[in-house]
Amino acid sequence: MPDLSPILLSLKLALLTSFVLLVIGLPIAYALSIWKSKAKIFVESLVSLPIILPPTVIGFYLLILFSPENLFGETLANFGIHIPFTFSGILIASLVYSFPFMVQPLQKAFEQIPQHYWNISYTLGKSKFETLIKVVLPNMKHAILTGFILTFAHTMGEFGVILMIGGNIPGETKVASLAIYSDLEALDYSAAHFYSIILLTISILIIFMVNLLNKDKKADA
Amino acid sequence: MIKKITLFIALFGMVFTSCKPTNNIDKLTIATAASAQFALKKLAINFSKKHNIKVDVILGSSGKLTTQIINGAPYDLFFSADMYYPKMLFNKEKTEKKPITYAYGAPVIWTMRKDIAIDSLVQLKDPSIKHLAIANPRNAPYGRKAIRYLKQKNVYMSVEHKLVYGESISQVNEYVLNKTVEVGVTAKSIVSSPKLKGKGFFKELDKEYWVKQGAVIIKNKNLPEMKKQFLEYVLSEEGKEILVNYGYSII
């Protein structure tokens, strides 16, 4: 049986990306949902940019930014921090690449929470933070789950960005999608099939879960 | 809810502990031109057994691997399909020493189809041959030789529209093997490897199109002695024999 480490590495990357993005995505989505300014549309466009930006462009700029040949990358390297061709590197790339998949559903959910939910909670003497934790977030659990699952799925299938900044290093940056590619390069079709079938199964399960969630949501409403 | 969270954390923990970074284990990482993959893998396996050390072989076109090394990829040795990229790395002070020529590689014209006479360049012009795959000449030395060959034999103009560019020689191999293209230009070290021996028909190009294969030790702190020994092993009688068995020429 082929080595399972690429699959585990993909899972680790996808889970970490989803968690970190949930933590940074929530405050950003909340800020965007209440922000009223003409500049908002620019920031929103910036947030959605990774959806349409070719992964190679993201990978290229990240590589340039973090390359030890350039000032920023060199400064980091002097502190012993190496971003290209490391797990931290593909994690940073995934955070950028999957950012909109987390922020967009969260922002929409914040916007859909009726203002009176907040108001009623305030009149009952709850603070803003308490209201957020106890009233608002539980009411948007579908969006949180959707964001999490979409981010997870998007990261599992990530290829171009990781190829550019990751360099296909076993146990470090060789995720499942890269393993398929390099097995194909080595004409090892059985290993490529093995990883592909696992990814296919995971994808089917994810789509199924998203649809199940949406059905639940409709039933709730 | 608490149960669910506990379960989730447990799962998370399992995934994490199951793939702890293997950085602290002694390991050589060898970047290898796609054309040399089979020979280098064999050499790596033998070396790994002899010295009880893990050896990872990473594939790519010579150009792509060079870019990665310039950008700080943690490779210990680099086996290119030419001398140009190793020299470039040497000039950029990324290598320990000057590049060493470890073998000569012959480009071959390769097809799976019996009815194609690969000896005849005229046939490449024939409409029955719709695609001719070569490795991207911008980053793959064998692709560059293929273009030069076609140009010097005066068929380039008439086959230019048929050219399909593989990202490295590996992609050319896939195309030819899956019969996505009728003909491709690959390396003798590919078609002579045990894995592909006897598959299809190939014709070796003349000596003037052979490519000098260069190797360098990349400057880094990892296992200086082992790196040297690996290169010495490739250049040893045993290493040479393997290279010859895999279709390389030693001059």
Side-chain angles (χ1 to χ4, degrees):
Chain A
M1 198 176 75
D3 180 17
L4 270 175
S5 75
I7 299 280
L8 293 171
L9 198 64
S10 276
L11 287 173
K12 175 178 162 185
L13 179 71
L15 278 176
L16 255 182
T17 305
S18 309
F19 265 112
V20 175
L21 272 186
L22 185 62
V23 173
I24 35 185
L26 275 171
I28 292 173
Y30 176 64
L32 278 172
S33 74
I34 55 164
W35 192 31
K36 284 184 184 62
S37 152
K38 274 181 186 159
K40 184 176 167 178
I41 191 156
F42 290 107
V43 177
E44 277 181 331
S45 307
L46 207 64
V47 168
S48 350
L49 192 60
I51 295 181
I52 56 153
L53 204 63
T56 39
V57 177
I58 302 177
F60 175 59
Y61 281 131
L62 286 175
L63 196 57
I64 289 203
L65 181 68
F66 292 116
S67 166
E69 293 279 291
N70 299 315
L71 187 67
F72 183 66
E74 198 190 335
T75 317
L76 285 180
N78 287 340
F79 285 105
I81 303 169
H82 295 278
I83 300 292
F85 315 110
T86 61
F87 183 76
S88 337
I90 60 173
L91 180 62
I92 290 175
S94 306
L95 293 176
V96 175
Y97 184 56
S98 293
F99 191 65
F101 289 80
M102 183 61 87
V103 173
Q104 282 186 344
L106 293 182
Q107 187 191 338
K108 220 163 264 153
F110 273 121
E111 282 165 355
Q112 276 167 2
I113 300 280
Q115 184 59 38
H116 63 255
Y117 279 35
W118 295 90
N119 294 346
I120 291 169
S121 177
Y122 295 158
T123 55
L124 292 172
K126 300 291 175 196
S127 71
K128 202 168 178 176
F129 184 70
E130 250 180 314
T131 307
L132 183 74
I133 299 292
K134 290 189 171 157
V135 179
V136 177
L137 289 185
N139 266 299
M140 49 189 275
K141 61 172 193 272
H142 277 297
I144 294 176
L145 259 178
T146 309
F148 195 92
I149 293 173
L150 284 180
T151 307
F152 181 86
H154 194 233
T155 312
M156 282 300 284
E158 194 178 338
F159 176 73
V161 185
I162 297 187
L163 187 69
M164 293 203 70
I165 198 156
N168 214 352
I169 295 161
E172 181 83 25
T173 60
K174 188 176 180 178
V175 296
S177 56
L178 291 199
I180 294 171
Y181 179 69
S182 75
D183 285 333
L184 216 64
E185 282 210 313
L187 303 171
D188 188 349
Y189 292 129
S190 67
H193 272 307
F194 174 79
Y195 296 126
S196 299
I197 283 170
I198 293 180
L199 284 193
L200 182 67
T201 314
I202 293 175
S203 305
I204 291 172
L205 285 177
I206 286 172
I207 294 280
F208 184 69
M209 267 163 72
V210 170
N211 283 338
L212 208 66
L213 263 174
N214 284 337
K215 223 177 159 189
D216 261 20
K217 196 175 166 187
K218 275 180 203 144
D220 280 3
Chain B
M1 187 71 192
I2 301 283
K3 253 188 190 168
K4 272 189 204 162
I5 293 175
T6 325
L7 187 74
F8 197 74
I9 291 174
L11 267 177
F12 202 57
M14 266 162 63
V15 170
F16 269 72
T17 43
S18 59
C19 50
K20 278 227 174 77
T22 48
N23 295 350
N24 33 19
I25 298 172
D26 277 358
K27 183 180 89 170
L28 280 183
T29 309
I30 297 177
T32 307
S35 53
Q37 56 173 303
F38 296 116
L40 256 298
K41 269 182 193 158
K42 176 77 185 157
L43 289 162
I45 289 171
N46 287 2
F47 186 82
S48 166
K49 274 184 198 148
K50 263 186 197 163
H51 295 269
N52 200 14
I53 183 180
K54 200 170 179 306
V55 185
D56 279 332
V57 174
I58 306 225
L59 304 181
S61 65
S62 302
K64 190 174 92 184
L65 294 169
T66 302
T67 313
Q68 291 185 345
I69 291 167
I70 291 172
N71 285 303
Y75 302 148
D76 298 315
L77 293 118
F78 171 44
F79 287 83
S80 177
D82 66 359
M83 296 301 285
Y84 172 80
Y85 291 110
K87 269 183 198 152
M88 187 175 177
L89 289 172
F90 174 71
N91 290 338
K92 284 191 180 274
E93 293 173 11
K94 298 282 176 194
T95 69
E96 293 280 348
K97 280 184 196 147
K98 270 190 175 166
I100 291 173
T101 305
Y102 63 95
Y104 286 78
V108 296
I109 301 181
W110 193 29
T111 180
M112 289 293 129
R113 276 179 39 180
K114 248 191 205 144
D115 57 309
I116 294 175
I118 34 179
D119 280 331
S120 140
L121 274 168
V122 183
Q123 187 159 14
L124 289 180
K125 300 183 193 170
D126 195 275
S128 73
I129 294 178
K130 292 192 179 65
H131 302 290
L132 170 60
I134 64 170
N136 187 348
R138 292 189 59 196
N139 51 27
Y142 280 94
R144 233 171 268 164
K145 287 284 175 185
I147 295 274
R148 224 181 86 194
Y149 176 74
L150 294 171
K151 280 189 174 156
Q152 288 180 351
K153 300 289 175 189
N154 291 322
V155 283
Y156 184 75
M157 295 297 267
S158 32
V159 299
E160 199 184 356
H161 63 283
K162 299 182 180 182
L163 290 179
V164 180
Y165 300 96
E167 195 252 343
S168 73
I169 213 134
S170 292
Q171 222 168 13
V172 175
N173 301 336
E174 274 166 57
Y175 292 157
V176 175
L177 218 51
N178 295 332
K179 302 185 184 123
T180 324
V181 301
E182 292 82 7
V183 182
V185 179
T186 183
K188 195 182 172 195
S189 49
I190 296 288
V191 297
S192 310
S193 68
K195 196 170 183 139
L196 298 173
K197 219 170 202 167
K199 292 209 171 155
F201 311 90
F202 70 87
K203 180 208 166 194
E204 197 177 318
L205 300 193
D206 309 331
K207 225 172 177 177
E208 54 171 311
Y209 299 102
W210 288 9
V211 213
K212 248 189 188 182
Q213 312 279 305
V216 278
I217 296 177
I218 307 299
K219 247 187 217 168
N220 64 23
K221 290 192 191 89
N222 190 34
L223 307 171
E225 265 313 303
M226 275 294 163
K227 288 194 283 191
K228 247 199 252 161
Q229 283 185 28
F230 187 87
L231 193 55
E232 278 164 15
Y233 174 62
V234 173
L235 301 171
S236 72
E237 285 310 312
E238 190 187 326
K240 275 180 191 161
E241 202 184 310
I242 292 174
L243 286 169
V244 170
N245 276 339
Y246 277 75
Y248 283 104
S249 301
I250 314 280
I251 295 176

Short mmCIF file of all heavy atoms in Angstrom, two decimals, chain B residues 98-136:
data_model
loop_
_atom_site.label_atom_id
_atom_site.label_comp_id
_atom_site.label_asym_id
_atom_site.label_seq_id
_atom_site.Cartn_x
_atom_site.Cartn_y
_atom_site.Cartn_z
N LYS B 98 32.23 23.04 -8.04
CA LYS B 98 31.84 23.10 -9.45
C LYS B 98 31.02 21.88 -9.83
O LYS B 98 31.20 20.80 -9.25
CB LYS B 98 33.11 23.10 -10.32
CG LYS B 98 33.64 24.46 -10.62
CD LYS B 98 34.72 24.29 -11.68
CE LYS B 98 35.23 25.64 -12.13
NZ LYS B 98 36.46 25.50 -12.88
N PRO B 99 30.12 22.01 -10.82
CA PRO B 99 29.34 20.85 -11.25
C PRO B 99 30.23 19.73 -11.80
O PRO B 99 31.27 19.99 -12.41
CB PRO B 99 28.44 21.38 -12.35
CG PRO B 99 28.63 22.84 -12.40
CD PRO B 99 29.74 23.24 -11.52
N ILE B 100 29.78 18.48 -11.58
CA ILE B 100 30.49 17.31 -12.08
C ILE B 100 29.62 16.65 -13.15
O ILE B 100 28.40 16.54 -12.97
CB ILE B 100 30.73 16.31 -10.93
CG1 ILE B 100 31.74 16.90 -9.96
CG2 ILE B 100 31.18 14.94 -11.45
CD1 ILE B 100 31.93 16.07 -8.72
N THR B 101 30.23 16.23 -14.24
CA THR B 101 29.48 15.49 -15.25
C THR B 101 29.42 14.03 -14.82
O THR B 101 30.45 13.41 -14.61
CB THR B 101 30.17 15.58 -16.62
OG1 THR B 101 30.34 16.96 -16.94
CG2 THR B 101 29.33 14.92 -17.70
N TYR B 102 28.22 13.49 -14.65
CA TYR B 102 28.14 12.11 -14.18
C TYR B 102 27.79 11.13 -15.30
O TYR B 102 27.97 9.93 -15.16
CB TYR B 102 27.18 11.96 -12.99
CG TYR B 102 25.73 12.28 -13.27
CD1 TYR B 102 24.83 11.28 -13.61
CD2 TYR B 102 25.26 13.58 -13.17
CE1 TYR B 102 23.49 11.58 -13.85
CE2 TYR B 102 23.94 13.89 -13.42
CZ TYR B 102 23.06 12.88 -13.75
OH TYR B 102 21.75 13.18 -13.99
N ALA B 103 27.27 11.63 -16.42
CA ALA B 103 26.95 10.74 -17.53
C ALA B 103 26.54 11.56 -18.75
O ALA B 103 26.43 12.79 -18.67
CB ALA B 103 25.81 9.80 -17.15
N TYR B 104 26.35 10.87 -19.86
CA TYR B 104 25.78 11.50 -21.05
C TYR B 104 24.44 10.85 -21.34
O TYR B 104 24.32 9.63 -21.29
CB TYR B 104 26.71 11.33 -22.26
CG TYR B 104 27.93 12.20 -22.19
CD1 TYR B 104 29.01 11.84 -21.37
CD2 TYR B 104 28.01 13.38 -22.91
CE1 TYR B 104 30.13 12.66 -21.28
CE2 TYR B 104 29.13 14.20 -22.83
CZ TYR B 104 30.18 13.83 -22.01
OH TYR B 104 31.28 14.64 -21.92
N GLY B 105 23.46 11.69 -21.63
CA GLY B 105 22.12 11.16 -21.89
C GLY B 105 21.72 11.38 -23.34
O GLY B 105 21.93 12.46 -23.88
N ALA B 106 21.18 10.35 -23.95
CA ALA B 106 20.76 10.48 -25.35
C ALA B 106 19.25 10.74 -25.42
O ALA B 106 18.49 10.02 -24.80
CB ALA B 106 21.09 9.21 -26.12
N PRO B 107 18.85 11.76 -26.18
CA PRO B 107 17.42 11.91 -26.44
C PRO B 107 16.96 10.83 -27.42
O PRO B 107 17.76 10.38 -28.26
CB PRO B 107 17.31 13.29 -27.11
CG PRO B 107 18.63 13.95 -26.91
CD PRO B 107 19.64 12.84 -26.76
N VAL B 108 15.72 10.38 -27.27
CA VAL B 108 15.20 9.38 -28.21
C VAL B 108 13.83 9.83 -28.72
O VAL B 108 13.10 10.53 -28.04
CB VAL B 108 15.03 7.98 -27.56
CG1 VAL B 108 16.37 7.40 -27.14
CG2 VAL B 108 14.09 8.04 -26.37
N ILE B 109 13.55 9.42 -29.95
CA ILE B 109 12.20 9.61 -30.48
C ILE B 109 11.44 8.33 -30.15
O ILE B 109 11.94 7.23 -30.40
CB ILE B 109 12.23 9.85 -32.00
CG1 ILE B 109 13.07 11.10 -32.29
CG2 ILE B 109 10.82 10.03 -32.55
CD1 ILE B 109 13.15 11.45 -33.75
N TRP B 110 10.26 8.47 -29.56
CA TRP B 110 9.58 7.31 -28.98
C TRP B 110 8.13 7.25 -29.45
O TRP B 110 7.45 8.30 -29.50
CB TRP B 110 9.63 7.45 -27.45
CG TRP B 110 9.26 6.24 -26.65
CD1 TRP B 110 9.40 4.95 -27.01
CD2 TRP B 110 8.69 6.24 -25.34
NE1 TRP B 110 8.97 4.13 -25.99
CE2 TRP B 110 8.53 4.90 -24.96
CE3 TRP B 110 8.32 7.24 -24.44
CZ2 TRP B 110 7.99 4.53 -23.72
CZ3 TRP B 110 7.80 6.88 -23.21
CH2 TRP B 110 7.64 5.53 -22.86
N THR B 111 7.68 6.06 -29.79
CA THR B 111 6.28 5.92 -30.17
C THR B 111 5.76 4.55 -29.72
O THR B 111 6.54 3.62 -29.52
CB THR B 111 6.08 6.06 -31.70
OG1 THR B 111 4.69 5.91 -31.98
CG2 THR B 111 6.85 5.00 -32.47
N MET B 112 4.46 4.44 -29.55
CA MET B 112 3.84 3.16 -29.21
C MET B 112 3.31 2.48 -30.48
O MET B 112 2.84 1.37 -30.44
CB MET B 112 2.66 3.37 -28.26
CG MET B 112 3.04 3.79 -26.86
SD MET B 112 3.91 2.47 -26.00
CE MET B 112 5.32 3.38 -25.43
N ARG B 113 3.35 3.24 -31.59
CA ARG B 113 2.70 2.71 -32.80
C ARG B 113 3.66 2.01 -33.73
O ARG B 113 4.66 2.58 -34.15
CB ARG B 113 1.97 3.85 -33.52
CG ARG B 113 0.59 4.06 -32.90
CD ARG B 113 -0.19 5.16 -33.51
NE ARG B 113 -0.06 5.27 -34.95
CZ ARG B 113 -0.70 6.23 -35.62
NH1 ARG B 113 -1.47 7.10 -35.00
NH2 ARG B 113 -0.55 6.30 -36.92
N LYS B 114 3.31 0.79 -34.05
CA LYS B 114 4.12 -0.06 -34.93
C LYS B 114 4.28 0.55 -36.31
O LYS B 114 5.33 0.44 -36.94
CB LYS B 114 3.41 -1.41 -35.10
CG LYS B 114 4.13 -2.56 -34.44
CD LYS B 114 3.50 -3.87 -34.89
CE LYS B 114 3.76 -4.92 -33.85
NZ LYS B 114 2.70 -5.86 -33.63
N ASP B 115 3.21 1.18 -36.80
CA ASP B 115 3.18 1.63 -38.19
C ASP B 115 3.99 2.90 -38.43
O ASP B 115 4.12 3.35 -39.55
CB ASP B 115 1.72 1.85 -38.62
CG ASP B 115 1.03 2.85 -37.73
OD1 ASP B 115 1.09 2.67 -36.49
OD2 ASP B 115 0.45 3.81 -38.25
N ILE B 116 4.52 3.49 -37.34
CA ILE B 116 5.29 4.71 -37.55
C ILE B 116 6.77 4.38 -37.65
O ILE B 116 7.35 3.79 -36.74
CB ILE B 116 5.04 5.72 -36.41
CG1 ILE B 116 3.58 6.19 -36.45
CG2 ILE B 116 5.99 6.90 -36.52
CD1 ILE B 116 3.19 7.08 -35.31
N ALA B 117 7.35 4.76 -38.78
CA ALA B 117 8.79 4.51 -38.96
C ALA B 117 9.53 5.70 -38.38
O ALA B 117 9.62 6.76 -39.00
CB ALA B 117 9.10 4.35 -40.44
N ILE B 118 10.03 5.54 -37.14
CA ILE B 118 10.64 6.70 -36.49
C ILE B 118 12.00 7.04 -37.08
O ILE B 118 12.55 8.08 -36.80
CB ILE B 118 10.77 6.49 -34.97
CG1 ILE B 118 11.04 5.04 -34.65
CG2 ILE B 118 9.55 7.00 -34.25
CD1 ILE B 118 11.20 4.77 -33.21
N ASP B 119 12.53 6.13 -37.89
CA ASP B 119 13.81 6.44 -38.53
C ASP B 119 13.65 7.52 -39.57
O ASP B 119 14.58 8.23 -39.91
CB ASP B 119 14.37 5.17 -39.20
CG ASP B 119 15.03 4.29 -38.16
OD1 ASP B 119 15.53 4.86 -37.18
OD2 ASP B 119 15.02 3.07 -38.33
N SER B 120 12.44 7.62 -40.07
CA SER B 120 12.23 8.56 -41.16
C SER B 120 11.65 9.86 -40.62
O SER B 120 10.55 9.90 -40.06
CB SER B 120 11.27 7.94 -42.18
OG SER B 120 10.38 8.89 -42.65
N LEU B 121 12.42 10.92 -40.79
CA LEU B 121 11.95 12.22 -40.32
C LEU B 121 10.81 12.73 -41.19
O LEU B 121 9.98 13.52 -40.75
CB LEU B 121 13.11 13.22 -40.36
CG LEU B 121 13.97 13.22 -39.11
CD1 LEU B 121 15.22 14.00 -39.34
CD2 LEU B 121 13.19 13.79 -37.94
N VAL B 122 10.79 12.26 -42.44
CA VAL B 122 9.74 12.70 -43.36
C VAL B 122 8.38 12.32 -42.82
O VAL B 122 7.41 13.05 -42.93
CB VAL B 122 9.96 12.08 -44.76
CG1 VAL B 122 8.93 12.59 -45.75
CG2 VAL B 122 11.37 12.37 -45.24
N GLN B 123 8.36 11.15 -42.15
CA GLN B 123 7.07 10.68 -41.67
C GLN B 123 6.47 11.60 -40.59
O GLN B 123 5.26 11.66 -40.43
CB GLN B 123 7.17 9.25 -41.14
CG GLN B 123 5.77 8.74 -40.83
CD GLN B 123 5.68 7.23 -40.79
OE1 GLN B 123 6.67 6.52 -40.75
NE2 GLN B 123 4.47 6.75 -40.81
N LEU B 124 7.36 12.31 -39.88
CA LEU B 124 6.84 13.25 -38.87
C LEU B 124 5.92 14.28 -39.50
O LEU B 124 5.02 14.81 -38.87
CB LEU B 124 8.00 13.94 -38.16
CG LEU B 124 8.86 13.10 -37.21
CD1 LEU B 124 9.95 13.96 -36.60
CD2 LEU B 124 8.01 12.46 -36.13
N LYS B 125 6.19 14.57 -40.77
CA LYS B 125 5.37 15.57 -41.47
C LYS B 125 4.01 15.00 -41.87
O LYS B 125 3.09 15.74 -42.18
CB LYS B 125 6.09 16.06 -42.74
CG LYS B 125 7.44 16.70 -42.47
CD LYS B 125 7.99 17.20 -43.80
CE LYS B 125 9.47 17.58 -43.66
NZ LYS B 125 10.08 17.84 -44.97
N ASP B 126 3.93 13.68 -41.90
CA ASP B 126 2.71 13.02 -42.37
C ASP B 126 1.49 13.41 -41.52
O ASP B 126 1.58 13.49 -40.30
CB ASP B 126 2.92 11.50 -42.29
CG ASP B 126 1.88 10.75 -43.06
OD1 ASP B 126 0.79 10.51 -42.50
OD2 ASP B 126 2.15 10.43 -44.23
N PRO B 127 0.34 13.65 -42.19
CA PRO B 127 -0.86 14.05 -41.45
C PRO B 127 -1.34 13.01 -40.43
O PRO B 127 -2.06 13.36 -39.49
CB PRO B 127 -1.92 14.24 -42.55
CG PRO B 127 -1.19 14.29 -43.83
CD PRO B 127 0.14 13.62 -43.64
N SER B 128 -0.93 11.75 -40.60
CA SER B 128 -1.37 10.73 -39.64
C SER B 128 -0.73 10.96 -38.27
O SER B 128 -1.22 10.48 -37.26
CB SER B 128 -1.02 9.33 -40.15
OG SER B 128 0.37 9.13 -40.03
N ILE B 129 0.37 11.72 -38.26
CA ILE B 129 0.95 12.10 -36.98
C ILE B 129 0.45 13.50 -36.63
O ILE B 129 0.80 14.48 -37.27
CB ILE B 129 2.49 12.07 -37.04
CG1 ILE B 129 2.93 10.61 -37.23
CG2 ILE B 129 3.11 12.64 -35.77
CD1 ILE B 129 4.41 10.44 -37.36
N LYS B 130 -0.41 13.53 -35.64
CA LYS B 130 -1.07 14.81 -35.33
C LYS B 130 -0.32 15.56 -34.24
O LYS B 130 -0.34 16.78 -34.19
CB LYS B 130 -2.51 14.56 -34.88
CG LYS B 130 -3.38 14.07 -36.02
CD LYS B 130 -4.86 14.11 -35.64
CE LYS B 130 -5.71 13.64 -36.79
NZ LYS B 130 -5.48 12.19 -37.10
N HIS B 131 0.31 14.81 -33.33
CA HIS B 131 1.00 15.47 -32.23
C HIS B 131 2.40 14.91 -32.04
O HIS B 131 2.61 13.72 -32.16
CB HIS B 131 0.24 15.29 -30.92
CG HIS B 131 -1.16 15.81 -30.97
ND1 HIS B 131 -1.44 17.14 -31.04
CD2 HIS B 131 -2.34 15.17 -30.96
CE1 HIS B 131 -2.74 17.31 -31.08
NE2 HIS B 131 -3.32 16.12 -31.03
N LEU B 132 3.30 15.82 -31.70
CA LEU B 132 4.66 15.44 -31.38
C LEU B 132 4.97 16.10 -30.03
O LEU B 132 4.98 17.32 -29.93
CB LEU B 132 5.60 15.95 -32.48
CG LEU B 132 7.10 15.87 -32.23
CD1 LEU B 132 7.55 14.44 -32.01
CD2 LEU B 132 7.86 16.46 -33.42
N ALA B 133 5.16 15.28 -29.00
CA ALA B 133 5.35 15.83 -27.66
C ALA B 133 6.83 16.00 -27.35
O ALA B 133 7.63 15.10 -27.60
CB ALA B 133 4.71 14.93 -26.61
N ILE B 134 7.18 17.17 -26.84
CA ILE B 134 8.55 17.38 -26.34
C ILE B 134 8.44 18.07 -24.98
O ILE B 134 7.41 18.66 -24.66
CB ILE B 134 9.41 18.24 -27.31
CG1 ILE B 134 8.85 19.64 -27.42
CG2 ILE B 134 9.52 17.59 -28.68
CD1 ILE B 134 9.78 20.59 -28.14
N ALA B 135 9.50 17.97 -24.19
CA ALA B 135 9.48 18.67 -22.91
C ALA B 135 9.68 20.16 -23.18
O ALA B 135 10.35 20.53 -24.15
CB ALA B 135 10.59 18.14 -22.02
N ASN B 136 9.07 20.98 -22.35
CA ASN B 136 9.16 22.42 -22.53
C ASN B 136 10.62 22.89 -22.64
O ASN B 136 11.39 22.77 -21.70
CB ASN B 136 8.49 23.10 -21.33
CG ASN B 136 8.37 24.60 -21.51
OD1 ASN B 136 8.98 25.16 -22.42
ND2 ASN B 136 7.60 25.23 -20.66
#
